[in-house]
């Protein structure tokens, strides 16, 4: 039986270095978050955006995708909290997470990562330049209690999760996509240096 996948765009950060909500910055005329949604749409059975309370109204104005706030017990505790929240909301076998600030991400990447799904592992994580990309990854719902335990002891690092579970790492060279797919935009300087940006 084909495993089910919940796609989750993580947009709960406060974008302090960027100076304004990155999710709504424009790339080729479309908000950043919509590129992550588009990359997930072909592989996900359901889609969610996990956001900060201050951004919920704007997301709901721009999209009909369900917008979730972190569950109360771990609100504001970073990406682990976002993944846990989707696992609490959805019955899908896997959660495929993407951040909202990687506007070059493409369906080719998500399709190829999904092809590595294996019931014997807990997560599928790309290795880019030898370093894990834990926010462009798939996590099995069996990890929900593991993530809850980490959050309950105040542990927010994604690496703390990866150290405890069975991970299948995929070197990004195997995915056969151009390097810029892995670029995220953290500052206004990075944003303004992109020749294809639009004002917002």
């Amino acid at each position: 039986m084909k495993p089910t996948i919940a796609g989750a765009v993580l947009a709960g950060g406060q974008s302090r270095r960027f100076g304004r909500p990155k999710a709504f910055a424009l790339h080729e005329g479309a908000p950043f978050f919509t590129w992550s949604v588009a990359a997930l749409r072909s592989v996900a059975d359901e889609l969610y955006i996990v956001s900060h309370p201050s951004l919920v109204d704007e997301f709901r104005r721009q999209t009909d995708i369900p917008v979730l706030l972190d569950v109360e017990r771990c609100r504001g505790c970073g990406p682990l909290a976002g993944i846990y929240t989707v696992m609490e909301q959805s019955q899908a076998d896997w959660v495929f997470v993407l951040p909202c600030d990687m506007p070059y991400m493409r369906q080719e990447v998500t399709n190829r990562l999904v092809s590595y799904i294996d019931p014997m592992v807990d997560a599928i994580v790309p290795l880019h330049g030898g370093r894990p990309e834990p926010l462009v990854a798939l996590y099995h719902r069996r990890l929900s209690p593991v993530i809850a335990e980490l959050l309950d002891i105040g542990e927010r690092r994604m690496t703390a999760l990866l150290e405890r579970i069975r991970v299948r790492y995929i070197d990004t060279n195997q995915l056969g996509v151009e390097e810029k797919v892995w670029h995220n935009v953290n500052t206004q300087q990075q944003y303004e240096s992109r020749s294809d940006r639009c004002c917002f």
Side-chain angles (χ1 to χ4, degrees):
M1 188 173 174
K2 184 174 180 270
T4 53
I5 299 172
V9 176
L10 301 181
Q14 297 186 35
S15 306
R16 290 188 181 91
R17 284 190 290 166
F18 195 72
R20 65 187 80 183
K22 284 187 286 186
F24 308 120
L26 299 183
H27 168 65
E28 296 182 0
F32 277 14
F33 81 90
T34 63
W35 294 96
S36 297
V37 168
L40 287 169
R41 197 176 289 281
S42 66
V43 298
D45 299 284
E46 52 197 77
L47 288 166
Y48 300 95
I49 294 169
V50 186
S51 184
H52 186 272
S54 65
L55 305 181
V56 170
D57 287 345
E58 182 60 21
F59 272 118
R60 290 178 176 162
R61 190 181 70 80
Q62 296 198 25
T63 182
D64 59 1
I65 295 169
V67 182
L68 307 178
L69 297 177
D70 291 340
V71 294
E72 190 66 41
R73 65 185 281 189
C74 56
R75 185 156 297 172
C77 293
L80 277 179
I83 295 168
Y84 178 74
T85 294
V86 175
M87 288 178 174
E88 287 289 285
Q89 174 73 28
S90 171
Q91 293 300 310
D93 301 311
W94 293 82
V95 174
F96 196 145
V97 296
L98 286 181
C100 70
D101 61 354
M102 295 182 75
Y104 300 100
M105 186 54 60
R106 294 293 180 263
Q107 288 184 5
E108 298 96 300
V109 176
T110 57
N111 288 334
R112 290 170 191 172
L113 287 175
V114 165
S115 74
Y116 289 100
I117 283 180
D118 180 340
M120 300 304 293
V121 300
D122 301 314
I124 317 268
V125 180
L127 280 180
H128 179 231
R131 301 183 62 178
E133 291 276 358
L135 300 186
V136 184
L138 290 116
Y139 298 93
H140 198 281
R141 68 170 295 102
R142 73 172 72 95
L143 295 178
S144 180
V146 180
I147 297 173
E149 181 182 341
L150 289 170
L151 291 168
D152 285 345
I153 63 173
E155 180 59 81
R156 300 184 180 190
R157 295 175 301 132
M158 292 299 300
T159 53
L161 174 63
L162 300 183
E163 289 165 1
R164 293 185 177 210
I165 65 176
R166 299 168 298 178
V167 183
R168 182 168 188 178
Y169 290 106
I170 310 297
D171 191 294
T172 55
N173 291 326
Q174 294 177 240
L175 301 177
V177 292
E178 55 191 333
E179 175 66 21
K180 76 174 185 178
V181 162
W182 305 99
H183 293 173
N184 61 352
V185 181
N186 291 314
T187 67
Q188 278 291 324
Q189 183 177 8
Q190 290 172 334
Y191 179 66
E192 291 167 3
S193 71
R194 307 294 185 192
S195 60
D196 55 358
R197 75 182 180 91
C198 296
C199 297
F200 71 108

